[in-house]
Amino acid sequence: MVLAVALAFTAVLNWFAVARGDHVVDLITRPTFPLLLVGLAWSLAAVPGAADGAAGRVLPQIITALGLSVLTDLLLLTATEVRYLLGLWTSLLANLAWSWAVVSVPGQGGLPWWVMVAVPFIVVVHGRWGREIIRFAGRQRGSVFLHLLSLVGLVLVAAWQGDVVVLGGGVLLLVSHLVLGHDRFCLERRWAPALVVVTYHAGLALLVVGLVGGGTFGR
């Protein structure tokens, strides 16, 4: 409960800092959020019996993904062109760690109907925003493409796994990074930075809760 309150307070503080353009508070609170999520994941996995089930299997992957997210936040918040490129790659590795965690949790079996929703969603999103981001990314085009591909992969494996909470987390991360990329490479919008952090925090929280919960929330 204490961690949940701390997470909510840190997230809201960060949202207001981003909205006000307070870089110092943003630099402190944004990487603090995934660090607190590490504590939440650890405490949920410490529930008696949890370590023997899905929570125990995915905890190392979750901690890896969140650790890479902290590094990504620090790189992007102090971004030069080189740091932004490094941030893309650490974020890509985090997405792969999330995908690894998702496939480590038993799915429903068969063909989950969420796949039938996720595939056209990805096609529409890529056709509308992803293609523009890649086209205007310049020398970083290849890295941006691979990064978006890792997010698409996360959404697809989450859809296949069949848990709506995990899938929601993957979709929100995809939306967050699409807005971030479009704002950086295509067209700046005043509301974009706030939307990026809100969807980013919500996506991370849903992934942690859904995965440590053993894929039970959405079934």
Side-chain angles (χ1 to χ4, degrees):
M1 182 63 69
V2 173
L3 280 170
V5 172
L7 276 165
F9 177 78
T10 302
V12 172
L13 190 62
N14 181 249
W15 300 346
F16 277 104
V18 171
R20 294 195 310 267
D22 190 335
H23 184 69
V24 174
V25 176
D26 188 16
L27 185 60
I28 295 170
T29 55
R30 195 178 309 190
T32 299
F33 186 86
L35 282 175
L36 289 172
L37 275 177
V38 170
L40 180 65
W42 199 293
S43 65
L44 290 174
V47 173
D52 300 325
R57 288 196 298 272
V58 301
L59 188 60
Q61 296 94 305
I62 290 174
I63 292 175
T64 299
L66 291 171
L68 288 165
S69 296
V70 172
L71 182 56
T72 299
D73 288 339
L74 292 173
L75 286 168
L76 295 184
L77 285 168
T78 58
T80 59
E81 186 174 350
V82 173
R83 287 175 186 168
Y84 188 85
L85 184 60
L86 290 173
L88 283 176
W89 283 99
T90 54
S91 182
L92 184 152
L93 292 174
N95 297 334
L96 294 179
W98 286 121
S99 296
W100 180 23
V102 172
V103 299
S104 300
V105 176
Q108 291 181 343
L111 180 64
W113 70 273
W114 283 113
V115 175
M116 307 303 292
V117 177
V119 170
F121 168 78
I122 288 170
V123 170
V124 171
V125 164
H126 177 71
R128 178 62 181 86
W129 292 286
R131 189 167 53 182
E132 282 188 353
I133 295 171
I134 294 168
R135 184 173 63 184
F136 290 108
R139 290 182 299 177
Q140 298 176 346
R141 186 179 294 115
S143 298
V144 170
F145 170 76
L146 291 175
H147 179 254
L148 291 178
L149 189 63
S150 70
L151 287 163
V152 167
L154 173 59
V155 172
L156 288 177
V157 295
W160 186 269
Q161 194 264 356
D163 188 297
V164 66
V165 177
V166 175
L167 177 58
V171 169
L172 286 172
L173 279 190
L174 175 60
V175 170
S176 178
H177 287 283
L178 282 172
V179 174
L180 176 63
H182 204 274
D183 185 64
R184 178 179 177 86
F185 296 115
C186 304
L187 177 64
E188 290 188 9
R189 296 177 174 88
R190 186 172 57 184
W191 48 262
L195 181 60
V196 167
V197 292
V198 171
T199 51
Y200 172 67
H201 288 153
L204 291 182
L206 287 179
L207 283 169
V208 169
V209 171
L211 288 168
V212 178
T216 59
F217 290 89
R219 298 183 183 172

